[in-house]
């Protein structure tokens, strides 16, 4: 059975923002009010998350669900937590942490959110904390210029798609799940020789 990411995210968000002394039963009741149709099978995910963060203090917060936007870039997003005392922002993830650093999609997400923060905040943070709740791991990440470039590449791709365009086929395309597969003129196999054309 495929898990609904929004339910897993809600579980991780509640674990991240919960009082350290809250009982699992009370936390589950709150999650059930947020997702009335949640499967009882997700209770084991909650238990695993609570065990993972038992000895790792999650990031403090004074505000949650902070909407940030950049009119210059034409993007907006939602930050999970803000701690006004330290002026630090945190993302809460419902995935396990990689062995080191953060996942590529989290690097791009961090870069995009920082671009938004630079347009809305007086103090411009250099990075964000990322809580990988299922692993009980918290990492600080400062996006690179490459991450920021990827944000703008994605913005341009989304704009093209919104205008009816079809994204250009990358070297290793995810064709099997693409909704444009039947309309794509680029889905024939390609030889590697195209990389070496003069």
């Amino acid at each position: 059975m495929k898990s609904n990411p929004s339910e897993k995210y809600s579980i991780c968000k509640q674990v991240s923002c919960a009082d350290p002394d809250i009982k699992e039963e009370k936390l589950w009741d709150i999650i059930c009010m947020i997702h009335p149709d949640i499967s009882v099978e997700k209770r084991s995910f909650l238990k695993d998350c609570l065990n993972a963060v038992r000895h790792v203090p999650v990031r403090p917060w004074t505000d949650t669900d902070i909407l940030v936007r950049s009119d210059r870039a034409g993007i907006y997003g939602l930050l999970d937590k803000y701690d006004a005392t330290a002026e630090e922002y945190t993302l809460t993830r419902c995935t396990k942490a990689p062995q080191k650093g953060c996942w590529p999609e989290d690097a791009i997400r961090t870069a995009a959110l920082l671009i938004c923060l630079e347009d809305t905040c007086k103090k411009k943070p250099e990075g964000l904390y990322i809580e990988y709740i299922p692993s009980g791991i918290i990492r600080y990440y400062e996006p690179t210029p490459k991450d920021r470039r990827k944000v703008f590449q994605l913005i341009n791709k989304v704009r093209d798609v919104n205008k009816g365009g079809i994204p250009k086929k990358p070297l290793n395309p995810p064709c099997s799940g693409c909704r444009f597969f039947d309309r794509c003129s680029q889905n024939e196999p390609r030889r590697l020789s195209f990389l070496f054309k003069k």
Side-chain angles (χ1 to χ4, degrees):
M1 180 177 161
K2 189 175 178 183
S3 176
N4 184 338
S6 67
E7 292 174 349
K8 281 190 167 186
Y9 170 76
S10 290
I11 290 169
C12 290
K13 184 70 177 275
Q14 290 307 121
V15 169
S16 173
C17 295
D19 185 304
D21 300 324
I22 195 167
K23 300 294 183 196
E24 180 188 327
E25 189 68 38
K26 177 65 177 170
L27 207 49
W28 180 249
D29 286 345
I30 293 169
I31 292 163
C32 288
M33 286 188 268
I34 294 168
H35 290 279
D37 298 329
I38 193 168
S39 166
V40 72
E41 293 169 7
K42 296 292 186 305
R43 181 78 180 260
S44 62
F45 181 72
L46 170 62
K47 191 183 296 286
D48 291 343
C49 289
L50 288 171
N51 286 334
V53 301
R54 178 172 284 137
H55 302 294
V56 180
V58 292
R59 298 289 304 153
W61 57 276
T62 52
D63 295 298
T64 63
D65 300 320
I66 303 101
L67 183 65
V68 293
R69 69 180 305 118
S70 169
D71 292 329
R72 288 184 305 158
I75 58 174
Y76 64 93
L78 198 66
L79 276 156
D80 290 296
K81 298 195 296 191
Y82 172 65
D83 179 19
T85 55
E87 296 185 352
E88 293 173 338
Y89 295 88
T90 302
L91 283 176
T92 302
R93 306 299 296 135
C94 60
T95 56
K96 288 195 175 273
Q99 287 189 349
K100 60 181 182 175
C102 68
W103 295 113
E105 56 269 24
D106 292 335
I108 295 169
R109 180 179 284 112
T110 300
L113 289 167
L114 284 174
I115 288 167
C116 291
L117 284 170
E118 287 163 6
D119 278 9
T120 55
C121 295
K122 290 178 183 173
K123 183 181 177 186
K124 297 173 173 54
E126 294 180 6
L128 301 176
Y129 286 92
I130 304 172
E131 297 175 323
Y132 290 103
I133 297 295
S135 298
I137 290 174
I138 301 165
R139 294 194 175 129
Y140 183 76
Y141 185 73
E142 291 183 14
T144 65
K146 178 183 173 187
D147 299 325
R148 288 174 175 258
R149 277 194 303 274
K150 286 194 174 192
V151 170
F152 288 101
Q153 288 169 359
L154 288 171
I155 290 170
N156 289 333
K157 284 181 183 178
V158 169
R159 284 180 181 153
D160 287 346
V161 170
N162 286 341
K163 291 176 184 173
I166 296 175
K168 290 181 180 169
K169 189 173 182 179
L171 184 59
N172 296 308
C175 290
S176 61
C178 180
R179 63 186 176 124
F180 299 110
F181 183 78
D182 57 338
R183 293 181 12 212
C184 183
S185 61
Q186 306 173 55
N187 59 15
E188 297 87 17
R190 296 169 82 182
R191 296 173 183 245
L192 280 179
S193 59
F194 81 94
L195 291 173
F196 306 108
K197 287 182 181 175
K198 292 183 180 180

